[in-house]
Amino acid sequence: KKTPLKRAERQDVGERLQAIELLRTGDYPKAERLLTGALKDRDWEVVERAAYALGEVGSPKAIGALVKVMLEGPAARVRRAAALAAATLDADEALGDVVKKIGGRRGARALEAFTLLAPAASE
C-alpha cells in the first residue's frame, strides 16, 4: 500500500506538504518513520512541517534525527521547529544530545537549540 508521502516523493512541494499533513492527522502505522525520512527533504518547508508533525505523532526514537536538523537545518525556523518537536517528545534526552555538541563545529547552533530545549527540560 502506498503511503501519502511515497506517492508524493517525486511530486511538487505542495503535494509533499499535503502528505505530511495526512501523516500527522491520519492513522498510518509508519508515520513516524516516514516523517523522520521527510526531515531529509530538499525543501526547507517540508522539513519544518515534518518536524512539527513529529512533535505530535512521534516518539523519543525520532530525537536523534531532530537533533541533526537542529544543528544542520538550512533556516532558523526549521531548526526551531526541530527543537520544539524534540522538547515535546523528550526534552531531557534532546537537551543531553545537544549539550554534547556545544563545543563542536556546530557550537553556535547547539547553543541556539539549548535555549529552546532548556525551559522544557526537568531540573
Side-chain angles (χ1 to χ4, degrees), residues 5-119:
L5 204 55
K6 282 291 183 194
R7 284 195 301 267
E9 271 180 353
R10 293 191 175 98
Q11 305 305 320
D12 67 24
V13 171
E15 289 186 37
R16 293 197 310 274
L17 292 171
Q18 285 178 328
I20 287 172
E21 184 62 17
L22 285 172
L23 289 169
R24 185 185 71 78
T25 59
D27 185 26
Y28 293 94
K30 295 181 181 179
E32 180 177 357
R33 185 176 61 79
L34 293 167
L35 289 168
T36 300
L39 294 176
K40 298 174 187 169
D41 196 275
R42 64 189 175 273
D43 184 88
W44 67 265
E45 191 176 4
V46 172
V47 176
E48 179 185 35
R49 297 256 188 104
Y52 279 127
L54 269 172
E56 292 182 38
V57 303
S59 73
K61 291 188 296 187
I63 288 178
L66 289 167
V67 168
K68 184 171 180 159
V69 173
M70 284 181 237
L71 300 175
E72 299 175 9
R77 63 188 275 175
V78 173
R79 296 189 302 272
R80 182 178 191 277
L84 296 176
T88 301
L89 298 177
D90 189 335
D92 293 334
E93 181 180 337
L95 187 61
D97 289 352
V98 165
V99 165
K100 294 174 191 171
K101 304 292 185 181
I102 289 177
R105 67 181 179 91
R106 297 279 189 210
R109 289 191 177 177
L111 284 170
E112 177 185 89
F114 179 87
T115 62
L116 293 167
L117 292 167

